[in-house]
Amino acid sequence: MTDAASAVRWLFEQAEPEARRVAVHQIAKVQGREAPELLLRALADDDWRVRKEGTLVAAALERREEVVAALLAAMEDVVNIGLRNAAVEALVAIGPDAVGALLEGFGRLDADARKLAVEVLGGVADARGTAALARLLSDEDPNVRVTAAEALGNSGRAGEESRALAIAALLAEAAASDPFLRIAVFDSLGRLDARVPWSVFEPYVDDPILRRHAIAAAARAPEPAAIRALAGATGDPSPTIAREAIVALGDLVAARTTDPEILEWARVELGASEIGPETIRRAARDVEDTRARGSALLVLGLLHRASDVPLLVEALGDDDVAERAGIAIDRFGVEALEPLLEAARKSKALVRAASLDRLASLEGAPVSVVRKALRGGLVDTSIDVVVSAVEALGPLGEARDLRKLAPWVWHADARVAAAATNAASELAARHIAAARAVLRAPRPRHDPLVLACILLGAIASTQPLRDDDVQVLQRALAHDDAHVRCAAIDALAQGGGDAAADAVMFALADEAHDVRIAAVRALGRLGRAEPLAGVVGSTSDPVVTATALRALGEADPERALAAARPLLAHSDAALACAAVEAIGQLATRRSSKRPPAHVVAACEDSLFAALDHPNGEVVKLSLSLVASQPGPRALARLGSCLDHPSWEVRRVAAELLGQDPSAGARDLLRASYERERDPVVREAIASATSVRPGADSSGIERSDAPALGSREGEAGE
Amino acid sequence: MRTPRFGEGVSLSPDEFRLLRDLFASRVGLQFGPESRYALERRLRERLMVLKLSSFAEYHHYLRFGMHASDEWDEAIDLLTTNETYFFREDRQLRAFQHEILPMLETLARPRRRLAIWSAGCSTGEEVYTLAILVHLSGLFATRAGNPAHLGPERPERPERPERIEAVPRSAPPGPLRPPSSRARDGAGTAWAVRVYGSDISRRCVAAARRGVYAESSFRATPDDVRKTFFYERADGWHVDDAIRQVCHFGQMNLLDEDRSRVLGRADAIFCRNVLIYFDARARKAAIEVLYDRLNPGGVLFLGHSESLLNVSTAFELLHLRDDLVYRRPVSPRGSNQDPDDPS
């Protein structure tokens, strides 16, 4: 017996479970055949924490074949249930290496042990396991059959072929006489997101046990009869069934936004129901059940009853469902005007603010009516509402609104001040006479130069400035308040010209950081590449560098790339990140501002190079940009990042690959799942392999998603 | 050339969401799933406007590397954390604390006559004041300045309050709680130093907690007699009685900041309820380690009812109470005489 093994054995003799748990950790240091034996001892412990620790350690032990053999033998222990269950968990943790041995020894296992073996196969993403599970649907033991059906629900993680095989096998048992087997089959088909013709589930719509599963499946079978069943189920006396139907209908609405025929079926069927819409409204008010609430809101939008709009508007105040509420309100168009106006006056603050936002962008709404509501919002007691109103008056306001908002650039609340700055600038550009009148108005309590700079900047964007305007800006540029100097620089950038550029350039030496940033930004707008390149070369401030590179990208993309490239390998991750962002911006610009092709190609090459940076943050940033470039090169580099030392990089790589529908991406993910040890990354990989191509994270399908019946091997082909 | 409006029409792309998600998780333990993308965009967009940034990628860079990043982190956290709470929340657990744990702690801490309780993630302070009230009501820890009050026939008469609510200056509260009865275990003159700490990552919440003024919604679970004894009403809301306030202390703290947490010294009881559910597994583990280190040997940890230490830590032992379950740091082999302020 080795010393390490002796120490472990001694610790295992202690009464304190914590001591025994510590012993489990030490098993990894034990060489030779004693390690598997000690592992089994841990898994047979009375204390769950010791057993749990054992399952985690199992995958880290050497002599894996012996470990697997020992665990398989433990699964046949008829006395110690804890040991058997722990052995299952440990085999799952070991992963595909356990599958081969498990399958080889399957024939000699009794029914109980076979059931446990099936749990192992269900926990490991492996195509061999899926094939075995499919065969086990015909096992002589009913418990094994049911467990196999449940386990097949996880087959998506083993890749598309496994998923398809699992679906086919499950469908063959959909009409099984055993109700428990049917339940497991239906549940697994749901987890596999299988699109199955409604005829498979229709016979069970009235079955008291299977009805819930049939209703859930109806959302994936968008046929008139399925929609009818869903609509009817929204009024079901069972709250569980009703909820299932509402969620399924909401998913249908979210997923079929480009299919008007399906949506029209749903709307007609719902309209014909008496109880269903009331149930849906109750769900739309239930703040405890966010999932059902969001679905209910979408369905109410589809139902299109004017009386429901106030309910939808109220939901705008809840971040968890606001997006769906907004989608639903959009269906009503200008019909939503009156409820929005009412809510903007009377509802709680967040709803008032959101209502004003909606009103400002409501197609067909009379501008005068909207303006009146926005002006009402200016005197609201809630700052959120005031900010919304101020922001919206920028594009919609009149000259009189400029006179009202102008003093608010000095508002004590930074949000109101920022919104007023933006709004005043927009209004001034459209109402120049009013802007000049505001400039002339006395402001005894405030330094007028800030406002003057904002207004003159706006005027300068539409026409040349007068000489006295320029003098004002020059005076502001020399002001002792950095805020005023920033405003002057922004204004000069709007006007353009050599004189403005010279004035701004000197501000690069300003003692205030914010002023230097404003100067860098301004030089970008003025198209002055030379000083910007100088800034990049002379500063180590990451924010100044990032701003300068971005600005240089506007002025001269080729010089920006030349300035950024050397920074990609900089040891300071902040500077390297700034360079990656700037290059990424150049490479992903829209067509009207896109740099020459050779610059874009060079940017792409640079981003690939940045993947070799030792800092994980730089790599993550580059990964996102690389992933947007289709092709085998990007795929290969993403795949290599699945082995990166940083778990965060591996997770991002998995998520990005999950959005790639190609077989190559699936293969890379599957292979990495087998070797990945970090639980967060494993979950990301599992989720990535489960994501259906064509769906984004909100569940809204893109229009290029495969339609019903187009998958090979699925029923309906 | 049109003046750019910062924040205008800016949406949070999936890539930007991932960057911010990872940043918030690693720095402050906040966890955001893909369904949170819209909410994150809505809440943070105004920061782009205030900071004059053009994209969420810039905002990420600012948070990570900006000169004034620490100020901006405070703003972001205030926007992203939800802080709904009230007095005497999860009553069953508080009863267990009052009737079973406090007597146990009194015995444990008697040699040093110091009781420290930490509410980690205290939000707007209701839990902190609740715990201070329970300590008072237990009658076990007579303090130097204020003294324990008891509900029931032995309670001394309080000075009469005016019928109408008037705007009395805060410097003239209705009067302190009265001196103790003879039921204090330790006898007259031997006082305890009681401290109840409240910390939260949100600066706004800590400021509100320190103010100690509450609206009706905070009292939904508070017995009327408790409210009348420990709070007084003014035009701006219900104020916490000074005798309770003076044992309560507040500070802004990130639960993942191990160094910062040391300023608290060690506690006899820690409440960290409905906080860890917002953390990912890594952050949860790190936070639990901090809480373990901040407990005196024999000290207890209260988590929310939907939370447990399963798969997170086996350093604690489980303590089964009549009405609840708590985690306890094992008593040191050297016994409870170990200096609780020893940071080791």
Side-chain angles (χ1 to χ4, degrees), chain B residues 91-111:
Chain B
D91 176 60
R92 200 177 71 166
Q93 202 174 43
L94 294 175
R95 277 205 308 273
F97 171 68
Q98 182 183 2
H99 297 301
E100 296 181 76
I101 295 298
L102 281 178
M104 186 187 89
L105 292 181
E106 195 276 339
T107 305
L108 206 61
R110 199 182 295 161

Side-chain angles (χ1 to χ4, degrees), chain A residues 18 21 48 52 316 319 391 415 425-426 461 494 550 617 620 647 651 655 659 678, chain B residues 1-3 5 18-19 21-22 38 42-43 46 49 58 64-65 67 282 310-311 314:
Chain A
E18 179 63 15
R21 190 188 69 80
W48 69 267
K52 184 72 182 175
L316 288 175
D319 277 344
E391 276 187 320
R415 290 175 299 162
S425 180
E426 271 206 272
S461 67
Q494 294 308 307
R550 241 176 263 122
E617 285 308 312
K620 273 168 47 182
W647 69 270
R651 178 168 74 163
E655 288 169 343
Q659 292 170 13
D678 185 286
Chain B
M1 188 170 25
R2 180 174 170 273
T3 306
R5 280 160 46 104
R18 243 178 249 118
L19 290 173
R21 173 200 68 187
D22 289 355
Y38 181 80
R42 206 158 100 135
R43 293 189 195 187
E46 64 171 55
M49 186 174 63
E58 279 188 63
R64 200 173 266 287
F65 305 120
M67 249 181 69
R282 267 191 175 71
L310 197 66
N311 295 340
T314 57

Side-chain angles (χ1 to χ4, degrees), chain A residues 205-220:
Chain A
V205 162
D206 294 321
D207 182 302
I209 296 175
L210 292 169
R211 178 170 167 72
R212 184 170 76 82
H213 298 279
I215 294 300
R220 298 188 301 274

